[in-house]
Amino acid sequence: MAKIISFGIQKGGCGKTTSSGITAYLLSQHQKVLAVDLDSQGNLTELLTQTDIYDFTGSTVLEALKEQDASDYIYPLTDNLHILTAEDLLATFSRYLYTEFRGNKALVLKQTLQKVENHYDYIIIDTPPALGDQTINALAASDAVVIMFETSKFCYSALSRFVETVGHAQDKLNPNLKIAGILRTLIDNRRSDAKAFIELVEEEYPNYPFHTIINRKAATGRIPIHGLTENPEINQAIDQYHDFVQELIQRV
Ligand SMILES: Nc1ncnc2c1ncn2[C@@H]1O[C@H](COP(=O)(O)OP(=O)(O)O)[C@@H](O)[C@H]1O
Ligand SMILES: [Mg+2]
């Protein structure tokens, strides 16, 4: 059965999509991986498919959630890497939950993935920048969550609330959910405040931070342009994620 891992933090621009996308890609070099885009921006879809997200309209994760079965909506990228895509209409998921859906609103994704999880070693979920229904569903469905931390005051403010939300999910929805760790990313080594935030997170959450710290790197920032297939910059772009993925495998 697959290990299900979500990447989350309710602040935008903290590397959730980049990190979940690269992690799914690296894991798929040796194992079977399903990537799940739970953000209506469709950034993970765009990153991994390198096509227009509206090409998938009508056969996305939203339709899978409504059927509570992902089987017919999985798009194969390679033999080992598959994706449940997203586009704008995923923004209607909450409306659907509160008007049409009958049942536990937090467990829809869990049910949806149950039908396919035996086919994969890992399911990697990218979440939107909000503590809304998609994020709650992701936490309820996951074995582990990677909490993204980009070294800024706003992200620092978001962190404690996210950890609290994970605690709530553990108590009420999913006792098996584990915090895999906090991934510190988008670090600008020239900034003293970035170094201060790295240390602050270590002091406040001593057991959580991954040892690997991801720097801000032009090649990594350009991944959405060229995608994760062969291109001149690819190794440089993903190089810093190899150690993280090894740590993640050991922790989950
Ligand atoms: N290590 C990195 N170095 C440089 N740019 C990065 C890095 N990680 C992410 N980015 C860029 O920063 C922006 C935010 O990252 P993204 O993964 O979209 O965050 P989120 O999903 O949390 O909103 C994107 O433009 C992305 O390409
Ligand atoms: Mg994103």
Side-chain angles (χ1 to χ4, degrees), residues 109-125:
L109 178 66
K110 186 183 166 80
Q111 305 275 3
T112 302
L113 295 178
Q114 252 160 19
K115 310 278 169 17
V116 299
E117 64 185 319
N118 283 334
H119 306 316
Y120 299 98
D121 299 302
Y122 291 96
I123 296 178
I124 301 295
I125 305 172

Side-chain angles (χ1 to χ4, degrees), residues 12-18 185-186 214-217 220-221 224 240:
C14 296
K16 290 180 288 296
T17 302
T18 303
T185 187
L186 281 154
I214 307 293
N215 290 314
R216 189 179 288 272
K217 218 172 166 183
T220 310
Q240 45 180 356

Side-chain angles (χ1 to χ4, degrees), residues 23 28-29 40 50 74 95 108 119-120 144-145 151 179-180 199 210 223 229-230 239:
T23 300
S28 76
Q29 293 182 336
S40 63
Q50 289 291 299
I74 290 170
R95 192 179 66 202
V108 185
H119 306 316
Y120 299 98
V145 55
T151 48
I179 294 182
E199 285 162 18
F210 288 97
I223 284 180
T229 46
E230 282 308 313
D239 188 40

